[in-house]
Amino acid sequence: MWQVYALAILMIVGSLVAVHTRYLLSAVISLAVVGLALCVAFLYLQAPDCAITQIVVEVLALIILIRATGVERDMSEIKNRKEIFAYEAIGIFIIAFAFFAFRALSYLPEFGHPVMKVSQEYIRKGLEQTGAANLVTSVLLDFRAYDTLGEATVLFTAILGAIVVLREVGRKKK
Amino acid sequence: MSDKIALTLFLIGLYGLIAKKNLIKKVMGLNILTSGIVLFFISLGYEKGLTAPIMEKGITDVVDPLPQALMLTTIVIGVCITALALSLIVRIYRRYSSLDVKILTGEGDE
């Protein structure tokens, strides 16, 4: 599993750079590094379908982000005492959140020992009932097809919203 | 162990979402946060020694297919959010020629 840890270091460094750098274009590139490392990590975690989707989506997101970003710079700086106080409050919140989240993590089943109550059924009967060799496909398009319908609806709504927002010409007033 | 990495990614994304003043940086934070969630769920289903959930002859032990199917949906919804938010941001930039939250809310004038 050392490959996953190497990828994890890459992901964490990439996301820190993406959050902290002043140049927005290099932030976009580091974000793409995070996404592609995530894609390879999916392959090591035995999730090829997610890896395929992730690489397509990451390329799309990269194109959209570069198109929207241009050569802007993040020029915001901390100036007065009010903002310093705000940053301290954010730090305390993040630390408290991390404390409770890591505590909650210890109550979950350990990594590598999943509880497979629901999916045991899918694994046993998936091939006979749906005829799909790929179990992810059979869950996505047969057992939970309404989920996929909802996903398609959200996709459609997002595209519709983007078109409406970006439209140049409005309706003519009479 | 992989779930702790995912939680770290989530926290970095949350920090970017809250603390950064630039709108595009906020969207990037949201993107990183989504990556953390997806990695967490995928690692929930992983078990060492099992293969990918594709049934062929002779393969009986496969990893949990359910989180993978759910996370496919999440990945696609994540890029939807990014696209919609960025189209709003492009609109805001055309109108106000700035992406800084402080300037947009009028706090930067003081």
Side-chain angles (χ1 to χ4, degrees), chain B residues 1-2 4 8 11-12 14-15 23 40 46 62 67 69 72-73 79 84 87 89 95 98-100 102-104 107 110:
Chain B
M1 192 57 205
S2 183
K4 291 189 179 64
T8 314
L11 286 170
I12 294 170
L14 192 65
Y15 167 73
L23 285 176
F40 177 73
Y46 177 75
V62 295
L72 275 179
T73 312
V79 80
L84 190 55
S87 60
I89 285 171
R95 176 82 169 73
S98 168
L99 290 175
D100 199 325
K102 275 187 287 182
I103 295 171
L104 289 178
E107 254 180 68
E110 297 169 33

Side-chain angles (χ1 to χ4, degrees), chain A residues 78-85, chain B residues 110:
Chain A
I78 307 171
K79 282 172 194 156
N80 49 27
R81 279 184 61 198
K82 210 169 112 189
E83 285 174 31
I84 293 170
F85 173 73
Chain B
E110 297 169 33

Side-chain angles (χ1 to χ4, degrees), chain B residues 44-65:
Chain B
L44 268 189
Y46 177 75
E47 192 172 342
K48 204 180 176 187
L50 305 190
T51 56
I54 296 170
M55 301 304 251
E56 286 175 9
K57 269 185 186 170
I59 292 179
T60 48
D61 289 336
V62 295
V63 299
D64 199 343

Side-chain angles (χ1 to χ4, degrees), chain A residues 42-112:
Chain A
F42 285 161
L43 285 180
Y44 279 109
L45 292 171
Q46 305 290 348
D49 302 271
C50 283
I52 294 167
T53 317
Q54 175 71 26
I55 198 161
V56 172
V57 156
E58 198 54 46
V59 170
L60 263 179
L62 184 65
I63 293 168
I64 299 169
L65 271 166
I66 288 179
R67 177 68 187 78
T69 308
V71 285
E72 281 287 309
R73 275 201 215 172
D74 181 7
M75 294 304 281
S76 56
E77 284 168 4
I78 307 171
K79 282 172 194 156
N80 49 27
R81 279 184 61 198
K82 210 169 112 189
E83 285 174 31
I84 293 170
F85 173 73
Y87 268 85
E88 283 169 354
I90 289 165
I92 291 167
F93 168 72
I94 295 277
I95 288 168
F97 191 97
F99 175 71
F100 286 112
F102 277 105
R103 263 191 70 163
L105 214 56
S106 63
Y107 290 103
L108 286 175
E110 221 174 309
F111 174 62

